[in-house]
Amino acid sequence: MFEKLNEQPADKILELMQLYKDDPREQKIDLGVGVYKNAEGVTPVMRAIKAAEHQVWETQTTKAYTGLAGDPAYADAMIGLILADAVARETVAAVATPGGTGACRQAFELIRMANPDAKIHVSDPTWPNHLSILKHLKMEAVPYRYFDDATRGVDFEGMIADLRKAKAGDVVLLHGCCHNPTGANLNLTQWQEVVDLLNDRGLIPMIDIAYQGFGDGLDEDAAATRLVASSVPECLIAASCSKNFGIYRERTGLLMAIAQDTDLHKINQGNLAYLNRQNYSFPPDHGARLVSTILNDDALRADWAEELEQVRLSMLGLREQLAAELQRLSGSDRFGFIAQHRGMFSRIGASPEEVQRLRKEHGIYMVGDSRMNIAGLNRDTVPILAKAIVDVGI
Ligand code: LMR
């Protein structure tokens, strides 16, 4: 049987992690996978997470199964964090999932169950695993223009023109904030235009929000998601706690299916629970319990928000330092976009050959499409990267 299997292509982001590890050079910089690192190059366990783990360890009396949807306290806390009071709670069906990837996977399967003909319109580019999962599920992904190679900002006209061609009932996958891989984002006026288009054309939004708190702040980063959720009849939201709670390996995500028609709530909730049962039964609980412990405790929540804000500000500081250093070395403003982008990533617009040269000649690892993880830098490595970028002639 196994001889019939084909070799699978390596995931480009995860492959890069291994290449970096295998590089014996002392001077090397990892700007690959989207993991936050502090100035010492460490991905720390957040203070509030440690405290919540302590609490759970002391008070938890059982590891018996939770429900198929996970712990309801987790869903409630996350719905509050992401949506605040943008929609009525009874419109939101929600289940815990293994990470944001699990939420995306379940969302795609739900779409396929509800409407096997639906196409999924994805930004060009998008997170490569969106495309990989859709391909695996034999669902059609249709790219819409998103990134303007010349300005390194959003090609908004192109985006709107492409989405106008989508058929009623199709799904539009949008990044709620901190677009991965480009770092280029819509402003709220543009989001409103997208909402109008979705409603005009009868398109269903699916929002992937994996970096809330990494861009402009917790509420600011959720503003677009809240606007969409409160303005359309139906939407899906796939959320991740990996980055903003720093609990990557705990696999903590949430999928929401929101319908203004509350008669649909029961059927949506039932279908989400059914999908969990088919794929893994009960979703992981440990990370979810840490998140709800933090969000439901004023002191822990404040401490978490403060630490997250420090993370956000440190990434913004690195963006500004890099843009300034590049301006100094290149004598041009063409890298100003790095300070305008938000979140963990920026696509710098280098060719695959230039990305290879950065790796070979300078030990700098970024994804082949020239996405770099800003959080992989520190004050001392920014000048090294800036010099390498200019040397390579980007
Ligand atoms: C990334 O884009 O680097 C992260 O979301 C990690 C991953 O799973 O790819």
Side-chain angles (χ1 to χ4, degrees), residues 101-117:
T101 308
C104 287
R105 166 70 188 249
Q106 300 296 73
F108 293 150
E109 287 205 34
L110 189 78
I111 294 164
R112 193 177 57 173
M113 278 164 71
N115 179 5
D117 297 329

Side-chain angles (χ1 to χ4, degrees), residues 90-91 234 259-269:
E90 65 270 21
T91 63
E234 294 186 349
Q260 297 308 326
D261 177 355
T262 47
D263 286 351
L264 295 173
H265 180 266
K266 195 159 164 255
I267 190 135
N268 286 347
Q269 189 63 49

Side-chain angles (χ1 to χ4, degrees), residues 130-392:
H130 285 148
L131 301 174
S132 177
I133 299 173
L134 285 169
K135 185 167 171 224
H136 178 68
L137 293 174
K138 301 192 169 43
M139 294 173 74
E140 191 175 340
V142 183
Y144 60 83
R145 274 171 283 172
Y146 186 81
F147 191 63
D148 183 336
D149 285 317
T151 63
R152 269 82 151 172
V154 177
D155 173 6
F156 189 63
E157 267 177 39
M159 174 179 180
I160 292 290
D162 286 352
L163 289 180
R164 278 200 192 292
K165 295 182 204 141
K167 261 198 357 265
D170 278 357
V171 173
V172 180
L173 177 52
L174 299 154
H175 298 223
C177 63
C178 306
H179 186 267
N180 178 7
T182 67
N185 298 290
L186 305 184
N187 62 36
L188 273 180
T189 315
Q190 292 170 324
W191 273 105
Q192 183 61 56
E193 253 189 78
V194 170
V195 164
D196 294 342
L197 186 149
L198 294 169
N199 282 333
D200 276 0
R201 309 283 310 165
L203 305 172
I204 297 151
M206 169 179 160
I207 299 180
D208 184 351
I209 178 160
Y211 297 89
Q212 188 184 353
F214 272 42
D216 291 309
L218 275 169
D219 284 322
E220 292 82 349
D221 291 350
T225 303
R226 292 172 190 171
L227 173 71
V228 174
S230 61
S231 316
V232 298
E234 294 186 349
C235 77
L236 287 158
I237 300 174
S240 170
C241 300
S242 297
K243 328 278 168 164
N244 53 4
F245 286 87
I247 49 173
Y248 306 84
R249 65 175 65 168
E250 301 297 355
R251 310 314 298 138
T252 309
L254 188 82
L255 174 60
M256 298 179 229
I258 305 178
Q260 297 308 326
D261 177 355
T262 47
D263 286 351
L264 295 173
H265 180 266
K266 195 159 164 255
I267 190 135
N268 286 347
Q269 189 63 49
N271 276 273
L272 293 180
Y274 166 85
L275 274 176
N276 268 6
R277 182 64 167 160
Q278 305 322 304
N279 285 327
Y280 38 75
S281 274
F282 302 90
D285 178 73
H286 184 70
R289 200 157 293 268
L290 302 178
V291 167
S292 58
T293 301
I294 292 170
L295 294 179
N296 289 324
D297 178 306
D298 287 348
L300 286 182
R301 188 178 179 128
D303 188 52
W304 164 72
E306 190 190 305
E307 193 171 354
L308 177 60
E309 183 65 1
Q310 289 310 315
V311 165
R312 185 180 83 79
L313 292 176
S314 84
M315 285 189 294
L316 269 186
L318 290 166
R319 285 187 177 283
E320 275 156 22
Q321 189 194 352
L322 180 59
E325 189 68 12
L326 281 164
Q327 188 193 39
R328 194 177 67 77
L329 292 177
S330 69
S332 105
D333 288 333
R334 69 178 188 281
F335 294 102
F337 67 88
I338 291 173
Q340 306 304 319
H341 284 174
R342 284 294 178 273
M344 225 175 209
F345 307 115
S346 269
R347 178 187 261 206
I348 58 167
S351 68
E353 294 72 33
E354 289 164 340
V355 171
Q356 278 292 341
R357 282 189 58 201
L358 284 173
R359 195 178 308 167
K360 287 217 169 81
E361 295 168 23
H362 299 273
I364 293 170
Y365 285 73
M366 59 179 70
V367 183
D369 65 356
S370 81
R371 181 193 87 167
M372 60 178 180
N373 172 15
I374 295 290
L377 290 165
N378 61 43
R379 295 251 153 226
D380 299 330
T381 52
V382 164
I384 301 172
L385 171 65
K387 185 169 175 311
I389 289 177
V390 173
D391 276 359
V392 166

